[in-house]
Structures are given as structure tokens and as C-alpha cells.
């Protein structure tokens, strides 16, 4: 089960930054349709319940679908929206992870209990294919200057250098790594530390709290604060909420409040990409870096925090999360200074 869960993040961790450059060659519309169709077809295939190793291979290929969608979709959104509408659209897109957890907890599990996993896989597959059909019907026209220069193997290295050397392109991804390093792992670990009669309810409320605050607060805050300040505010309030556990605040309140304020990081990070990067190519590279760092965080987060929890205790794990969020704030602050220095020198 662990392998089946985690291997989908492996290809994103390896090829995330490269996928941003691929968007520059084929355009976000084509890549999004490809990702949805591939993911839908694989999900329908998985409903046949092949053997473990074939299922594992299908999950690896499914990582390509996931990577294509999470890079192409926000790039496309950034191209077809402007101003306040873009901020709202990016905040809405940023909730896809939390929305998936909430919908699976409230709809997916009862569906599986009533009709089985095969029906769940089939529904997922046909929904993805249906969304691809809707996007094709909409016939959105996007002006995107495709890169037609021939690629060499050295381009793989050049893409990573262009991405991570730029404090504009890399900044959302750097903060996103620290966010994803704790998001899935805390969602898996914290409810298990609660009494059994409330753990399931809290597990459903945690991602929902982040979605609600992100929708309500981030578009408003982006009108009065820089995007990076919104992100750092989320990390800072995350430190504040975890500190409540050491002051005797019940853990269930800490869980919900923590995930609520992390919604500021969630919405602010996706909105930061088009704010910090004006061209479609730079936006695609930035979303590719977010995919890479996000998948790396998902891969590392749960084993790292479980190792900390096993070697020390719950308090030690919470202190380590405070340290992670503090490093995230420092990293964003340092990148902001680099951007200011480059802007002034220009």
C-alpha cells in the first residue's frame, strides 16, 4: 500500500521542473488534455485489478498524468485570467489537494463501502475523461509562443539552472516544498493522536478549514499585501497555532486552526507564480518547479515526521514542524531580497 501511494510522486519529483519546459513546447491546452485522458484511461485500467507489479507500473505512469495536469492547468488559468479574477482563480485552483481529501473522506469512502473499489476507479476515470471532453468543447483560444528550438540532453540541466537560479521563478516552489513536507504527513499523523470518536471528523475538517480560509482571506489579503507576505503570514500563524499545543490548547483545535492558516500558504503560493513572473514561459517553469518540490515534499514528509515521532515524542515532532516553517519564512525572505537587488540593479 505504501508503494502504491507514494510512487505517483516519484516521477513528479524527478521531472517536475522539466515539465514546465515541456509546456513551453506544446502549450498548456494540449498537455492538459493529454494528462486528463492518460489519467482517465489508467484509472479505468486499474479497475480491472491487475497484479501488484502491473498496478505499481500503472501508478508510475499515472504520475505522468498527475504531473501534466498540475503544471498545465495553472499555466492555462494564468493565461485566460487577469487582475483580481486571476487571484481568485489561482486560489480556487490551489484548493485541489485539500478538496480531494475532503471529498474522498465524505463521498469516496461511503461509495467504496457501498459499491466497492472497482466502481470508485471507474468513476474517477470517467470523470477525468469527461472533464477533458468539456475542455475540448469550450475551445479556449490561448496565445502561447511555443518553443521550437531542437532539444539536446544538456537542455535538461539548463532547465533546472534557469528555474532554480531565478528568485522569481523558484520562490513559490521553495515555499511549497516546506508546505507539502508537512501537509500530507500531518493529515496522516495528527488525527491518529486524537480520541477515536472524533479523529475521523477532525480529519475531514482539517483540509476543509484550509480551503475555506484560503477562499475568504487570500483574495482580500492580496489586495493589500505582497503575495510573499501572505505566504509568510500563513507560516507564521502555523508556528503560532502549533505553539498552542504547548500551552494546553486541545490537539483537535490545534489541528483545525493549523490547517486553516496553512490555507494562506496554499492560496498565496499559487497566486504568487503569475504575480512574480509575467511571461507564460516563466510561469510554466515556476509551476513545474512547484510540482517538483511538492512531490519531493510529499515523498519525504511522512517518513521524516514519523521517524522524528518514533525517536522522540509528539512534542519533538511539533517542534520540528515549527523549525520547518521558520526555515520557510527565512527562505522566502532571502529570495525577496534577491529579487529586490536584481530589480534595483536593472
Amino acid at each position: 500500500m505504501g508503494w502504491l501511494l507514494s510512487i505517483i510522486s516519484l516521477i513528479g519529483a524527478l521531472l517536475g521542473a522539466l515539465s514546465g519546459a515541456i509546456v513551453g513546447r506544446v502549450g498548456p491546452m494540449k498537455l492538459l488534455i493529454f494528462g486528463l485522458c492518460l489519467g482517465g484511461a489508467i484509472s479505468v485500467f486499474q479497475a480491472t485489478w491487475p497484479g501488484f507489479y502491473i498496478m505499481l507500473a500503472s501508478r508510475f505512469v499515472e504520475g505522468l498524468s498527475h504531473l501534466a495536469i498540475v503544471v498545465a492547468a495553472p499555466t492555462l488559468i494564468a493565461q485566460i485570467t487577469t487582475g483580481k479574477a486571476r487571484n481568485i482563480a489561482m486560489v480556487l485552483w490551489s484548493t485541489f489537494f485539500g478538496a480531494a481529501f475532503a471529498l474522498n473522506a465524505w463521498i469516496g469512502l461511503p461509495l467504496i463501502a457501498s459499491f466497492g473499489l472497482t466502481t470508485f476507479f471507474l468513476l474517477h476515470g470517467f470523470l477525468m475523461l469527461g472533464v477533458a471532453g468539456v475542455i475540448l468543447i469550450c475551445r479556449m483560444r490561448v496565445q502561447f509562443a511555443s518553443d521550437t528550438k531542437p532539444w539536446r540532453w544538456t537542455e535538461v540541466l539548463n532547465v533546472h539552472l534557469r528555474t532554480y537560479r531565478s528568485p522569481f521563478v523558484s520562490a513559490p516552489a521553495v515555499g511549497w516544498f516546506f508546505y507539502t513536507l508537512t501537509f500530507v504527513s500531518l493529515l496522516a499523523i495528527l488525527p491518529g493522536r486524537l480520541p477515536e470518536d472524533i479523529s475521523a471528523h477532525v480529519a475531514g475538517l482539517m483540509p476543509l478549514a484550509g480551503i475555506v480560509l484560503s477562499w475568504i482571506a487570500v483574495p482580500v489579503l492580496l489586495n493589500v499585501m505582497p503575495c510573499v507576505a501572505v505566504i509568510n503570514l500563513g507560516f507564521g500563524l502555523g508556528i503560532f497555532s502549533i505553539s498552542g499545543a504547548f500551552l494546553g490548547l486541545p490537539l483537535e483545535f490545534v489541528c483545525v486552526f493549523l490547517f486553516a492558516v496553512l490555507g494562506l500558504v496554499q492560496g498565496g503560493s499559487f497566486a504568487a507564480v503569475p504575480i512574480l513572473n509575467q511571461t507564460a514561459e516563466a510561469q510554466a517553469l515556476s509551476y513545474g518547479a512547484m510540482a517538483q518540490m511538492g512531490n519531493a515534499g510529499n515523498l519525504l514528509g511522512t517518513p521524516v515526521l514519523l521517524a522524528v515521532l518514533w525517536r522522540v515524542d509528539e512534542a519533538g515532532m511539533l517542534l520540528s514542524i515549527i523549525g520547518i516553517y521558520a526555515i520557510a519564512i527565512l527562505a522566502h525572505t532571502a529570495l525577496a531580497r534577491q529579487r529586490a537587488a536584481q530589480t534595483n540593479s536593472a
Side-chain angles (χ1 to χ4, degrees):
M1 181 62 74
W3 279 104
L4 290 173
L5 284 172
S6 63
I7 199 168
I8 196 170
S9 298
L10 179 60
I11 200 160
L14 294 174
L15 303 178
L18 191 62
S19 66
I22 294 172
V23 172
R25 298 188 71 85
V26 303
M29 180 71 77
K30 291 181 180 178
L31 192 63
L32 179 58
I33 297 297
F34 164 77
L36 287 166
C37 290
L38 177 63
I42 289 176
S43 197
V44 171
F45 168 74
Q46 289 169 342
T48 65
W49 287 104
F52 172 75
Y53 292 105
I54 297 177
M55 179 68 91
L56 195 65
S58 75
R59 287 284 289 172
F60 180 78
V61 177
E62 196 175 3
L64 283 174
S65 162
H66 176 261
L67 182 59
I69 293 169
V70 300
V71 176
T75 303
L76 181 61
I77 293 169
Q79 292 303 298
I80 62 176
T81 57
T82 57
K84 292 182 179 180
R86 177 186 282 173
N87 289 341
I88 294 171
M90 296 316 306
V91 170
L92 179 62
W93 167 255
S94 75
T95 64
F96 74 88
F97 215 80
F101 272 99
L103 288 172
N104 276 294
W106 296 335
I107 299 174
L109 293 180
L111 182 74
I112 292 168
S114 300
F115 301 103
L117 270 170
T118 297
T119 301
F120 185 78
F121 277 115
L122 287 172
L123 178 63
H124 177 256
F126 287 125
L127 279 173
M128 293 188 80
L129 294 171
V131 171
V134 169
I135 293 174
L136 282 172
I137 292 170
C138 289
R139 296 182 179 275
M140 286 179 284
R141 295 182 179 180
V142 181
Q143 292 183 345
F144 200 90
S146 298
D147 182 5
T148 57
K149 293 183 294 185
W151 256 20
R152 298 181 177 87
W153 286 108
T154 54
E155 184 63 18
V156 176
L157 176 62
N158 291 335
V159 165
H160 285 80
L161 290 176
R162 287 205 315 272
T163 299
Y164 292 108
R165 279 180 175 176
S166 168
F168 295 89
V169 174
S170 65
V174 171
W176 194 243
F177 170 75
F178 294 105
Y179 169 82
T180 55
L181 193 63
T182 64
F183 183 89
V184 175
S185 51
L186 289 179
L187 200 57
I189 295 171
L190 287 181
R193 316 295 292 180
L194 298 171
E196 190 173 340
D197 59 331
I198 64 169
S199 62
H201 297 293
V202 173
L205 280 174
M206 287 162 67
L208 182 63
I211 292 171
V212 171
L213 189 68
S214 182
W215 280 352
I216 294 172
V218 174
V220 176
L221 290 174
L222 287 173
N223 291 324
V224 296
M225 297 172 62
C227 55
V228 172
V230 174
I231 297 169
N232 280 344
L233 177 63
F235 280 126
L237 289 174
I239 293 173
F240 176 76
S241 63
I242 295 172
S243 301
F246 295 99
L247 299 175
L249 192 67
L251 186 59
E252 55 267 32
F253 291 107
V254 172
C255 292
V256 175
F257 184 70
L258 172 61
F259 272 68
V261 297
L262 287 179
L264 301 179
V265 179
Q266 172 184 289
S269 294
F270 276 97
V273 173
I275 292 173
L276 296 178
N277 303 279
Q278 303 305 313
T279 67
E281 180 194 13
Q283 290 168 10
L285 288 175
S286 190
Y287 284 124
M290 282 188 73
Q292 186 166 48
M293 291 294 98
N295 280 288
N298 288 337
L299 275 174
L300 295 172
T302 303
V304 166
L305 288 189
L306 281 175
V308 172
L309 182 63
W310 178 64
R311 290 184 177 274
V312 285
D313 54 14
E314 187 177 284
M317 183 191 72
L318 293 175
L319 285 172
S320 69
I321 296 165
I322 288 175
I324 289 170
Y325 293 163
I327 294 171
I329 293 172
L330 292 173
H332 260 306
T333 303
L335 289 168
R337 288 177 179 172
Q338 288 184 35
R339 289 192 297 273
Q342 287 188 15
T343 303
N344 292 334
S345 62

